[in-house]
Each structure stands twice: as structure tokens, then as C-alpha cells.
């Protein structure tokens, strides 16, 4: 089984049409691929299957708690290069996300703190056997990215589960309008990506991509 989900967080949020989200979920089930979107607006989210994305922008006051860094394995240079190449091929050329043509935007660069944020969430999902943008501690991408030591102005997240290869994950995100729009967002200038495997979990492997712009 394969699962994909996205979130993007901005301090000023805008809601999307819930009916469209549910329609996309039904269509995805027919293709044996579940695509979902998650709202990062502070509301409790017990259903990760049909919720809307949001964006967070211009964070001016970081949390009072000091960052805690949860270090994961260093991704190989080849992994970084391939992931950046796949994402930036779409960004610099322009890409059609669903029925919306997105113009070319600047490429993103790799950031190790964003990679650590991605790794921490993938590990939490695998260890806790869940699939959601909100972790077991109640944190979302904004809190986790700050905890990794990254002060952000805009931050977003795509997650996936069940895919065995990173290129399949990227292609899946680009094939989903919401995930694709997240990747094509001109606001973001940096990214990190990671996976974590737990053979005892439902999906086996969990992927997280974090895109952000620093303060």
C-alpha cells in the first residue's frame, strides 16, 4: 500500500474546498494510491485522509523552547543530488500541477537542518506506526523544523509511505496537484528529505520532504 500526504504551513492560512479534497481521495483510491492533504492551522486532525492544505508565512516569533536536535544518518551525496535534480527539474522548467500550469521558479538547495526535520518525522511515523503531519507530541512541520534549529519564514511538508524508491515518491508527489503545488511554490528556497524503515509498521517505510525559506 502507498500513501502520500502534504502540508504547507503559513501564519496566515486559507482553507480549501473540502468537497474537492474528498473527491481527490476517492479518485486516488481507485488508482490504488491514496493522496491526502493536511491543514496546519492548530486544529486537531484525527482524519488525515481528506483535509485541506494551508501555508504559513512570515513567522516573526519563534517558540520559546530551545531547539533540540535529533540527529539521523547523513544522506549520501548521491541521494542529495538525485532528489535535488528531480525537484529542480520541475521547478526551473515550469510544471503542470493537475490542471494548473506553474511557471518556472528558482531551484531549491539542500539544507541539513531541514533534512534532520524530515528524518525526525519519518522516524516518528515509522516507530509510532502512524501516518500524519501531526506527530504524537502534537507538533507539525513548523515546530519540528524549528526544533531542528531552522528559523523559517515559510515552511511546507510532503509525506509518503510504502514506496521503496525515492524517485517513485517524487514522481508521485509531482503527479498529485496539491503536492506538486507545494514543490513548485516560489516562496521556498531550501529543502531536505529523508526516509525511515520499520518492517513491523503498517507501511514499512515512511518518507518526509520539508521545503522552507529562512528568516
Amino acid at each position: 500500500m502507498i500513501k502520500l500526504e502534504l502540508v504547507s504551513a503559513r501564519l496566515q492560512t486559507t482553507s480549501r474546498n473540502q468537497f474537492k479534497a474528498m473527491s481527490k481521495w476517492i479518485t486516488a483510491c481507485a488508482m490504488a494510491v491514496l493522496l491526502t492533504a493536511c491543514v496546519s492551522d492548530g486544529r486537531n486532525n484525527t482524519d488525515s485522509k481528506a483535509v485541506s492544505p494551508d501555508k504559513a508565512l512570515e513567522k516573526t516569533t519563534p517558540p520559546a523552547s530551545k531547539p533540540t536536535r535529533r540527529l539521523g544518518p547523513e544522506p549520501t551525496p548521491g541521494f542529495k543530488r538525485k532528489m535535488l535534480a528531480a525537484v529542480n527539474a520541475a521547478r526551473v522548467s515550469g510544471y503542470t500541477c493537475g490542471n494548473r500550469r506553474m511557471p518556472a521558479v528558482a531551484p531549491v538547495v539542500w539544507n541539513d537542518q531541514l533534512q534532520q526535520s524530515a528524518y525526525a518525522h519519518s522516524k516518528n511515523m515509522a516507530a509510532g506506526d502512524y501516518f500524519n503531519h501531526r506527530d504524537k507530541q502534537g507538533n507539525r512541520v513548523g515546530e519540528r523544523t524549528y526544533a531542528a534549529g531552522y528559523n523559517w519564514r515559510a515552511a511546507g511538508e510532503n509525506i509518503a509511505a510504502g514506496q521503496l524508491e525515492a524517485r517513485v515518491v517524487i514522481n508521485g508527489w509531482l503527479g498529485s496537484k496539491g503536492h506538486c503545488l507545494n514543490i513548485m511554490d516560489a516562496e521556498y528556497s531550501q529543502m531536505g528529505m529523508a526516509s525511515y524503515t520499520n518492517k513491523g509498521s503498517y507501511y514499512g517505510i515512511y518518507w518526509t520532504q520539508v521545503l522552507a525559506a529562512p528568516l
Side-chain angles (χ1 to χ4, degrees):
M1 185 176 291
I2 294 173
K3 242 185 171 182
L4 304 176
E5 186 166 325
L6 72 92
V7 70
S8 109
R10 299 208 181 185
L11 288 186
Q12 296 179 341
T13 62
T14 58
S15 61
R16 301 292 181 91
N17 190 302
Q18 294 293 322
F19 178 77
K20 291 182 179 180
M22 181 62 72
S23 297
K24 290 181 181 179
W25 179 78
I26 295 172
T27 302
C29 285
M31 297 185 296
V33 177
L34 179 61
L35 306 177
T36 62
C38 183
V39 180
S40 180
D41 58 3
R43 295 175 294 180
N44 290 331
N45 176 26
T46 56
D47 179 8
S48 65
K49 293 186 173 70
V51 288
S52 303
D54 75 290
K55 309 246 179 194
L57 189 57
E58 295 180 357
K59 178 182 177 187
T60 56
T61 305
S65 59
K66 294 182 179 180
T68 57
R69 306 175 197 281
R70 294 172 286 181
L71 298 180
E74 176 69 16
T76 65
F79 178 82
K80 294 181 184 180
R81 183 172 59 253
K82 289 178 181 179
M83 295 305 95
L84 284 173
V87 169
N88 286 331
R91 285 178 65 93
V92 303
S93 300
Y95 206 85
T96 300
C97 299
N99 59 355
R100 182 176 174 183
R101 180 65 184 178
M102 297 299 293
V105 294
V108 292
V109 297
W110 191 269
N111 181 275
D112 289 335
Q113 291 169 320
L114 297 182
Q115 184 269 329
Q116 291 299 329
S117 176
Y119 174 82
H121 192 47
S122 290
K123 182 178 180 181
N124 281 343
M125 288 192 292
D129 200 7
Y130 70 96
F131 183 78
N132 203 309
H133 289 286
R134 190 184 299 277
D135 61 31
K136 295 295 186 179
Q137 293 74 42
N139 296 319
R140 302 180 76 107
V141 60
E143 291 86 357
R144 288 191 295 269
T145 301
Y146 179 74
Y150 187 100
N151 289 324
W152 53 270
R153 176 169 52 83
E157 181 180 80
N158 289 335
I159 60 175
Q163 301 89 342
L164 298 180
E165 297 181 16
R167 64 177 180 81
V168 176
V169 176
I170 296 291
N171 289 339
W173 286 332
L174 288 173
S176 163
K177 183 177 180 180
H179 303 81
C180 179
L181 290 174
N182 221 16
I183 289 173
M184 293 299 297
D185 195 326
E187 191 69 31
Y188 302 138
S189 59
Q190 300 177 333
M191 70 162 272
M193 184 171 167
S195 66
Y196 195 89
T197 299
N198 175 9
K199 293 182 179 180
S201 63
Y202 186 77
Y203 291 105
I205 184 169
Y206 296 77
W207 299 85
T208 305
Q209 177 193 43
V210 180
L211 301 118
L215 282 175

